[in-house]
């Protein structure tokens, strides 16, 4: 091994750690994952819009699968707040392609977590998302007006009907005037059945919002 090779491998060990998703490629800061994984998120399938109860229209940036799924899981459960940067290009691409859906929006609202759970996780992933979107779309975001007042069971363990009854009455708008006459974009990380978004909608509409539609980072298919 030449001196140069030795130096290069030292630099690699010191400055580059392996990608947390594939474990193979080195990551290049400021990205939290390697370029090939980021590329596979960018190229992942984009689902079409869906309509939930009450005509609530939901757009999702990517299908919840492969690198997208791994990255979101890592982001949520390993407290890796900067993991969201893996989605910036995909997000940017998505918002540009769907600009018509965002033009009339006045306010981005993140789906809240129950305070004790948020303290445990140290951050709310939907809030991180809402802030990124807010910067991209130049629309104000709000994280503390829609709150979660009930510590509900983990949705992942429940069926659709149970999910809805589990969430009933667990969201609350603190100050109606902040939502009144606004076209609101409700943001969450992953949509499975849509029960969470559906449960938030009556509260926002009840506060006098003009319209509500949703955007999630990913959707299970
Ligand atoms: Zn990777």
């Amino acid at each position: 091994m030449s001196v140069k090779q030795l130096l290069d491998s030292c630099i690699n060990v010191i400055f580059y750690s392996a990608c947390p998703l594939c474990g193979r490629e080195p990551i290049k800061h400021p990205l939290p994952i390697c370029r090939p994984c980021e590329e596979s998120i960018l190229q992942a399938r984009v689902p079409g819009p869906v309509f939930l109860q009450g005509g609530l229209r939901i757009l999702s940036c990517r299908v919840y699968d492969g690198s997208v799924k791994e990255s979101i899981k890592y982001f949520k459960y390993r407290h890796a707040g900067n993991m969201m940067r893996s989605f910036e290009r995909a997000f940017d691409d998505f918002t540009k392609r769907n600009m018509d859906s965002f033009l009339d929006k006045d306010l981005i609202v993140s789906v809240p977590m129950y305070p004790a759970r948020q303290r445990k996780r140290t951050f709310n992933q939907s809030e991180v998302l809402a802030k990124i979107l807010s910067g991209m779309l130049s629309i104000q975001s709000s994280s503390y007006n829609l709150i979660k007042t009930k510590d509900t069971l983990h949705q992942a363990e429940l069926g659709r009907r149970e999910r809805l009854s589990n969430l009933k009455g667990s969201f609350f708008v603190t100050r109606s005037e902040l939502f009144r006459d606004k076209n609101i974009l409700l943001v969450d990380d992953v949509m499975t059945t849509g029960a969470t978004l559906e449960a938030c909608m009556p509260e926002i509409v009840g506060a006098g919002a003009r319209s509500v539609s949703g955007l999630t980072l990913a959707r299970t298919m």
Side-chain angles (χ1 to χ4, degrees):
M1 188 184 272
S2 72
V3 174
K4 185 181 180 305
Q5 281 170 326
L6 184 67
L7 274 175
D8 281 348
S9 60
C10 286
I11 286 168
N12 267 315
V13 169
I14 297 166
F15 295 105
Y16 303 136
S17 39
C19 168
L21 300 191
C22 64
R24 292 189 307 268
E25 303 282 330
I27 53 173
K28 303 253 166 84
H29 296 292
L31 264 190
I33 58 174
C34 71
R35 283 281 177 208
C37 283
E38 194 216 12
E39 197 60 33
S40 84
I41 289 174
L42 185 64
Q43 302 303 334
R45 222 153 38 102
V46 179
V50 283
F51 291 88
L52 302 176
Q53 256 180 14
L56 179 61
R57 183 176 187 257
I58 311 292
L59 288 175
S60 300
C61 183
R62 292 293 184 270
V63 169
Y64 188 61
D65 197 17
S67 303
V68 173
K69 185 175 177 175
E70 289 312 310
S71 191
I72 292 176
K73 273 164 59 185
Y74 192 90
F75 168 58
K76 274 168 87 164
Y77 302 114
R78 302 268 203 101
H79 306 257
N82 76 329
M83 201 64 179
M84 223 49 194
R85 298 197 73 142
S86 331
F87 292 96
E88 276 180 4
R89 273 170 76 208
F91 239 165
D92 188 51
D93 167 71
F94 184 82
T95 50
K96 283 186 178 131
R97 285 171 197 269
N98 293 279
M99 201 40 97
D100 285 356
S101 301
F102 306 119
L103 287 175
D104 70 332
K105 299 292 174 272
D106 303 302
L107 189 65
I108 298 172
V109 174
S110 49
V111 169
M113 281 174 89
Y114 186 68
R117 283 195 193 264
Q118 182 164 342
R119 273 197 298 277
K120 205 170 153 202
R121 187 173 286 169
T122 71
F123 66 94
N124 173 3
Q125 64 280 0
S126 305
E127 191 183 322
V128 177
L129 212 59
K131 285 191 178 140
I132 293 175
L133 267 175
S134 171
M136 279 180 182
L137 299 169
S138 303
I139 301 170
Q140 209 190 334
S141 74
S142 155
S143 308
Y144 300 102
N145 198 34
L146 177 69
I147 56 169
K148 195 167 184 200
T149 52
K150 244 168 69 180
D151 189 15
T152 50
L153 297 165
H154 272 298
Q155 291 289 94
E157 293 149 19
L158 307 170
R160 183 182 159 78
R161 195 184 292 252
E162 291 168 305
R163 283 178 185 231
L164 283 171
S165 62
N166 180 41
L167 289 166
K168 206 163 183 249
S170 59
F171 296 101
F172 182 76
V173 172
T174 335
R175 290 171 59 198
S176 299
E177 68 272 22
L178 298 180
F179 287 173
R180 194 167 299 140
D181 295 327
K182 299 259 165 68
N183 294 311
I184 287 176
L185 183 66
L186 185 61
V187 170
D188 204 1
D189 57 345
V190 181
M191 176 187 145
T192 307
T193 65
T196 306
L197 297 159
E198 276 177 357
C200 292
M201 190 184 169
E203 298 308 314
I204 300 172
V205 171
R210 189 179 299 144
S211 74
V212 190
S213 60
L215 174 64
T216 69
L217 181 56
R219 185 194 313 155
T220 57
M221 297 299 269

